[in-house]
Amino acid sequence: VQLQASGGGLVQAGGSLTLACAASGRTFSTYSMAWFRQAPGNEREFVAGIKGSGGTIYYADSVKGRFTISRDKAKNTVYLQMNDLKTEDTAVFSCAAARGIITSSFRQPRHWDYWGQGTQVTVSS
């Protein structure tokens, strides 16, 4: 699976951005997909994810109610709609894919098999 993330940029606090992650190479629909982010000096952290089987969605507490993850299987793309952005959302956002990942491992970067390049999101005050 090859992943290509896009959509980052500079936005004022309270604004919105939509990230996209296009997948290619394998049967995308069977893979779980997720977004992680990493701010300078911080570890990579889970943001949102969607299971390949069943489509169950998970969010980090810090983004619940503001971010929405979705996938378009026909386009092999997963999206992250980010609303009401805060300065603390500033980070490099990366998408990840995995097949067969279990729920208890969802939030841990080491369990994800494939990673796209990051896209920078900067939120100004």
Side-chain angles (χ1 to χ4, degrees), residues 48-64:
I50 183 167
K51 292 205 76 174
S53 59
T56 304
I57 289 174
Y58 304 92
Y59 294 103
D61 289 343
S62 59
V63 307
K64 278 181 182 177

Side-chain angles (χ1 to χ4, degrees), residues 5-9 19-20 35-36 91-95 116-122:
S6 61
L19 306 183
W35 288 96
F36 288 78
V92 175
F93 282 70
S94 301
C95 56
Q117 92 294 354
T119 184
Q120 176 70 46
V121 172
T122 303

Side-chain angles (χ1 to χ4, degrees), residues 102-114:
I102 60 176
T103 302
S104 60
S105 298
F106 226 70
R107 300 172 187 266
Q108 300 170 41
R110 69 178 185 274
H111 291 292
W112 292 83
D113 301 321
Y114 304 96

Side-chain angles (χ1 to χ4, degrees), residues 10-16 85-86 122-125:
L10 173 64
V11 64
Q12 286 191 327
S16 299
L85 282 161
K86 306 177 185 300
T122 303
V123 184
S124 63
S125 57

Side-chain angles (χ1 to χ4, degrees), residues 46-107:
F46 173 81
V47 176
I50 183 167
K51 292 205 76 174
S53 59
T56 304
I57 289 174
Y58 304 92
Y59 294 103
D61 289 343
S62 59
V63 307
K64 278 181 182 177
R66 301 188 298 122
F67 291 10
T68 302
I69 188 172
S70 61
R71 72 192 301 167
D72 185 332
K73 292 184 178 181
K75 294 183 178 180
N76 286 349
T77 301
V78 63
Y79 302 96
L80 185 68
Q81 172 69 42
M82 305 184 293
N83 298 327
D84 189 24
L85 282 161
K86 306 177 185 300
T87 55
E88 52 264 40
D89 293 318
T90 295
V92 175
F93 282 70
S94 301
C95 56
R99 190 173 183 181
I101 188 169
I102 60 176
T103 302
S104 60
S105 298
F106 226 70
R107 300 172 187 266

